Amino acid sequence: MERSVYFDGWHKGNFCQHPSLPMRSLHMLDDLERLGATMLVWAGLGGGSISLPFLHHEAFGETDVRQQMFGYMNDSQFIAECNRRGIKLFSIVFEVQGWEFPAVIDKKTGRITAINKLAEGQEEQDWYGLREFSQDKYPNAFPTSLKDYYPDGIINSDGEVVTDLFEESAARRLDGTPVHAQWVEMKNHQQICYQTCRNNPVWRDYLKQIIKIMIDAGTPGIQLDEAELPITSIGSGGCFCKDCMKQFTQYVQEQKAAGKLGAEWDSVDVSTFNYKDYLLEHHPSFPHGAPFYRDYWEFQVRAVKRYFSELVDYAKDYARSEYDREVLVSGNFFNLMPCYFPIVPKVDVIITEMEHTQFRQPHFYRYCEGYAQGREVAVAENPYGGMVPDLVNMLNNGKAYDLYRIFLLEASMYGCNMSVPYGGWMGNTIRDAFWPPLDLSAQVQQFLKNNEHYYPRSSQGDICVLYSYKSYYWRETAQGSGGANAMQQFTDLKDITATGWTGDHRRTPFWEVIKTLSDHQVIYDVAMMADGDLREDDFTLEDIARYPMVVLPDCDKLTDSQAAVLLDYASSGGKVVAHGRLAEGTDLLNQLQATGNLIHTQEADSFEAAMANFSQGLLPAYEPLRSVTVSDKNLGVHRFTNEKGTYIHLMNYDYDQAQDKVLPTGAVTVSVKAKGKASVNTLEGAVSDFTVTEQADGLDITLPSVPVYLVIAVEKEG
Ligand SMILES: [Zn+2]
């Protein structure tokens, strides 16, 4: 199991300062060892979005002797120290960021004498960033310069020499203006960050140069942040750059030739079609209500798959050919949105920044675990749209320790891993970084390290919920896409802690069903079914044959092959619970009915009514399959099982704000269908005041009380 750290290292009590991360020092390594860290995310070498010489300086630059006194070092030295300790540092490629900073350059030496806030307003103020790099305006600013990376200059897709990389790479709106990366630009300061477009080959080539420097610096892992670019820019009206337009036209022409365009295209001459010109003439705003938006989005998802894959392949090939080593690659799979699903097979580990971080979201973690398809999942909190600002304030005041324990443990308990904030990002308006008390983090992380066998990855739930990508990718996307979603804010801690659910706000049957299963303490897995188009459909009977029951939440579209698999499954005795629609326009429901193994429940106008229908249909059939029954219905429960034993995890969410702690429960009995020697472990250590009663099919274990979290292990003897 990976134990991840969200290793921004932004300074306590100060603003973040993208894209270059603070210098790393020796004492951080001690902290990482206390945290039992195995991987670091958003962890170093971010400055390539300013210029390649700047990044080279981060990697290999000399450290001022005064800073060395305190153990500071450059990033390649820090990476080497991490490697020695078995900690995998993922260098961060801020793919969608292109920067310009205020700077003062000494006329005689050509060196930078002031940058960013220190340079603002000075008489000699100039700029330093992608533009000056591409113009080779200050070749002496750093030991390397343009000619070291582009001996023949930078050439774009029109065959022109690029004289301004900052403008060349920008994602653009309909009116041609560049899209800003508003979430990282500091308010009331002059630095500028454009969103960039990876569909532009110039930018892709530049990203490869960043990756090359990272691998030269010895990085064991590469994290491609904002992996969905330029979909990132859609919420802000992008991207209509020249390369997106050229490529979309080509895509539309190919779709036309393949007979795949809808009737709405009939009146359009695709041989001369240009989406930007078309919208300017017919619907001069984007994306809301724009014609052909879905075609455009599907084009962009294909582009994400193609170009993300190109960068991954480049990184792997370069590390193999130059250094004969394997480099790990991941991205930022923000909230595990549907646009990333086609690129899952390309990564070694899933790193996801959440959209909303709340205190009770077991269903989200079960979804993540299924989405990752056997890969480890490192989750990072998000300062927007959740409880993080409140939590940080409370921790700063010595409060909310139990809430923080839940925050760290819940992901692990449900099959993922929460990255420990270590100077975690607090957005660009809060003047602070997330530095939870180290002792508190270490208590949890050491528990996870010492009891790794409680979280076996080969485990299997009682039943399986199927996510139909074909049914859901557009439904989920149409509700909003890209980083813009993250700007929603909850303001009241009570709303955030109550259920962690926005209910009818998000009428998506899949999410309603898994939330309801978690509320009923059902032990379930999630499995993904691809659409056969954006991602190859490799779903087979083998994926579900081992489960006695599968649940299909409103899967209105299935591939023919998926329908056949489900029919095979039901014909050989598997129970199919279909909630709402199923493979509309086919006879599948009737065919499943004929097997005698279908339970069909109805959708309804409200979340409550729909889930009442669903629960009524599901529970009578589920109860005989239930492997763990807990007498206290408010506890969170999950079970892992492997050949050595069964591990039941209980989470107590009963946080009392007045007392600022989770209230211990009364006596709780856990009935488990497993036999062996029982032991109980809490964050405080093993406990022995529990009783065990043997039943015909397992054990009843009675605990006098359940604290924030505990694990019951039932292990085979001998
Ligand atoms: Zn573009």
Side-chain angles (χ1 to χ4, degrees), residues 375-541:
R375 292 163 190 81
E376 296 269 348
V377 183
V379 183
E381 43 78 17
N382 181 340
Y384 295 109
M387 51 69 170
V388 169
D390 283 317
L391 182 63
V392 169
N393 270 333
M394 292 170 83
L395 288 169
N396 282 347
N397 290 298
K399 291 183 177 171
Y401 281 24
D402 279 351
L403 287 177
Y404 180 68
R405 291 182 176 108
I406 292 174
F407 161 81
L408 278 190
L409 283 162
E410 193 183 42
S412 296
M413 162 169 167
Y414 292 105
C416 304
N417 177 253
M418 176 57 73
S419 306
V420 180
Y422 191 90
W425 185 56
M426 289 302 295
N428 61 347
T429 52
I430 297 174
R431 186 175 185 152
D432 205 357
F434 192 174
W435 286 98
L438 190 65
D439 285 351
L440 197 55
S441 303
Q443 180 199 31
V444 171
Q445 298 306 107
Q446 288 298 326
F447 181 91
L448 295 176
K449 184 179 176 186
N450 295 333
N451 300 293
E452 207 164 334
H453 62 292
Y454 289 170
Y455 310 83
R457 285 292 186 252
S458 55
S459 191
Q460 182 195 318
D462 295 343
I463 63 172
C464 185
V465 185
L466 298 172
Y467 181 96
S468 159
Y469 190 68
K470 200 174 171 71
S471 301
Y472 278 99
Y473 78 80
W474 185 247
R475 266 195 267 179
E476 292 219 65
T477 300
Q479 294 182 358
S481 64
N485 252 9
M487 299 300 180
Q488 289 181 38
Q489 291 270 19
F490 291 89
T491 50
D492 189 336
L493 188 67
K494 283 197 295 299
D495 296 341
I496 300 160
T497 52
T499 62
W501 174 248
T502 51
D504 285 352
H505 176 67
R506 190 176 200 169
R507 289 298 323 272
T508 315
F510 171 79
W511 290 99
E512 296 183 357
V513 159
I514 59 171
K515 157 81 165 72
T516 300
L517 291 173
S518 290
D519 288 348
H520 288 308
Q521 299 178 323
V522 172
I523 314 288
Y524 62 92
D525 296 336
V526 170
M528 307 293 288
M529 296 186 293
D531 65 335
D533 186 7
L534 295 170
R535 180 157 166 200
E536 188 193 347
D537 176 20
D538 52 4
F539 182 71
T540 66
L541 186 57

Side-chain angles (χ1 to χ4, degrees), residues 169-172 196-200 230 233 238-245 296 299-300:
S169 318
R172 294 194 181 270
T196 51
C197 185
R198 190 173 56 194
N199 292 347
N200 183 335
S233 69
C239 177
F240 292 89
C241 79
K242 65 180 184 308
D243 288 286
C244 282
M245 291 306 96
Y296 179 74
F299 148 73
Q300 288 292 11

Side-chain angles (χ1 to χ4, degrees), residues 336 363-371 467 510-511 514 526:
L336 295 185
H363 52 287
F364 176 73
Y365 296 119
R366 293 310 297 146
Y367 168 72
C368 292
E369 201 261 356
Y371 190 109
Y467 181 96
F510 171 79
W511 290 99
I514 59 171
V526 170

Side-chain angles (χ1 to χ4, degrees), residues 576-684:
V576 173
V577 180
H579 175 68
R581 297 169 292 175
L582 184 68
E584 282 199 314
T586 75
D587 201 30
L588 183 61
L589 270 174
N590 288 329
Q591 291 171 311
L592 288 171
Q593 191 73 54
T595 67
N597 283 320
L598 173 72
I599 296 168
H600 188 202
T601 64
Q602 297 301 322
E603 250 291 82
D605 289 340
S606 74
F607 164 63
E608 286 77 14
M611 289 301 100
N613 293 346
F614 172 68
S615 301
Q616 244 165 35
L618 172 99
L619 289 175
Y622 175 69
E623 289 307 336
L625 307 174
R626 190 185 282 279
S627 61
V628 182
T629 307
V630 184
S631 63
D632 184 330
K633 301 301 174 201
N634 295 318
L635 293 174
V637 57
H638 195 63
R639 170 187 57 75
F640 293 110
T641 301
N642 67 3
E643 64 291 345
K644 293 212 172 89
T646 290
Y647 305 91
I648 298 134
H649 298 247
L650 297 180
M651 180 74 76
N652 178 354
Y653 294 99
D654 191 13
Y655 173 72
D656 181 278
Q657 205 163 348
Q659 297 184 54
D660 183 37
K661 64 174 190 179
V662 164
L663 305 177
T665 63
V668 173
T669 297
V670 178
S671 306
V672 52
K673 285 182 188 160
K675 292 204 176 179
K677 185 174 173 359
S679 59
V680 178
N681 210 344
T682 71
L683 290 175
E684 314 288 330

Side-chain angles (χ1 to χ4, degrees), residues 306-324:
R306 182 179 314 128
Y307 296 136
F308 182 90
S309 300
E310 185 181 315
L311 295 183
V312 174
D313 292 344
Y314 175 81
K316 300 246 175 204
D317 290 348
Y318 181 73
R320 281 173 195 146
S321 64
E322 279 306 301
Y323 298 100
D324 195 24

Side-chain angles (χ1 to χ4, degrees), residues 141-323:
F142 294 99
T144 64
S145 65
L146 182 70
K147 64 182 182 317
D148 296 299
Y149 307 98
Y150 293 95
D152 305 318
I154 306 174
I155 312 292
N156 73 12
S157 64
D158 289 334
E160 302 158 349
V161 175
V162 174
T163 54
D164 187 338
L165 183 59
F166 186 53
E167 292 294 336
E168 167 70 27
S169 318
R172 294 194 181 270
R173 291 193 186 80
L174 268 180
D175 63 4
T177 54
V179 183
H180 288 248
Q182 296 134 313
W183 65 94
V184 284
E185 281 182 338
M186 297 304 304
K187 306 293 171 212
N188 308 316
H189 287 282
Q190 295 182 12
Q191 18 92 321
I192 306 166
C193 185
Y194 286 173
Q195 292 193 33
T196 51
C197 185
R198 190 173 56 194
N199 292 347
N200 183 335
V202 166
W203 187 243
R204 265 193 329 277
D205 192 48
Y206 186 84
L207 293 173
K208 288 175 190 168
Q209 304 259 18
I210 289 177
I211 289 168
K212 184 170 179 285
I213 293 172
M214 289 173 167
I215 293 172
D216 291 343
T219 197
I222 302 240
Q223 181 185 358
L224 299 165
D225 198 13
E226 301 123 346
E228 75 292 339
L229 79 158
I231 289 177
T232 330
S233 69
I234 286 180
S236 307
C239 177
F240 292 89
C241 79
K242 65 180 184 308
D243 288 286
C244 282
M245 291 306 96
K246 281 184 213 167
Q247 291 167 34
F248 186 47
T249 298
Q250 193 189 345
Y251 169 78
V252 166
Q253 289 166 353
E254 286 163 6
Q255 293 292 99
K256 175 93 177 176
K260 288 183 178 170
L261 287 186
E264 67 276 21
W265 285 92
D266 288 353
S267 61
V268 177
D269 176 5
V270 300
S271 69
T272 58
F273 179 74
N274 177 294
Y275 193 34
K276 182 177 161 184
D277 295 344
Y278 184 92
L279 287 180
L280 286 173
E281 189 180 335
H282 296 94
H283 187 282
S285 77
F286 186 81
H288 301 292
F292 309 131
Y293 173 47
R294 182 168 178 170
D295 296 283
Y296 179 74
W297 187 87
E298 290 182 357
F299 148 73
Q300 288 292 11
V301 171
R302 285 175 171 81
V304 167
K305 184 178 178 179
R306 182 179 314 128
Y307 296 136
F308 182 90
S309 300
E310 185 181 315
L311 295 183
V312 174
D313 292 344
Y314 175 81
K316 300 246 175 204
D317 290 348
Y318 181 73
R320 281 173 195 146
S321 64
E322 279 306 301
Y323 298 100

